[in-house]
Amino acid sequence: MAATDIAGRLAEYSFQLELEDIDAETIDAAKVRLLDSIASGVGAVSFADDTTDTVVSFCAERAGDATVPIIGTGRQAPLEY
């Protein structure tokens, strides 16, 4: 099946990608960005304000059968949130 939209093309590319296809520099850059994202999330819930509380509540209210923890909150949300 040929993907005609950008999301489909990216999904097809990602599905076929093997770890050996990715150079070390790209892997290191991905690790940095992943860790930075986690640290930013932990920082956000550690120093919560009204905006953070609103976002966490919004995400948690959409929790269904398949959920994951919202780090640092004790609440659950769908993975895509």
Side-chain angles (χ1 to χ4, degrees):
M1 168 183 9
T4 56
D5 63 341
I6 190 72
R9 289 175 48 206
L10 284 171
E12 188 176 307
Y13 172 78
S14 299
F15 183 73
Q16 295 174 358
L17 193 63
E18 299 287 336
L19 185 58
E20 298 78 29
D21 297 331
I22 306 170
D23 63 271
E25 183 179 353
T26 301
I27 292 172
D28 289 342
K31 288 178 184 178
V32 168
R33 283 161 181 78
L34 177 62
L35 291 174
D36 183 55
S37 296
I38 293 169
S40 295
V42 170
V45 297
S46 296
F47 300 101
D49 60 5
D50 290 340
T51 303
T52 304
D53 293 340
T54 300
V55 172
V56 169
S57 293
F58 174 87
C59 295
E61 288 169 3
R62 276 127 188 94
D65 293 334
T67 59
V68 296
I70 302 173
I71 296 172
T73 68
R75 299 181 76 180
Q76 300 276 319
L79 179 61
E80 61 270 16
Y81 283 83

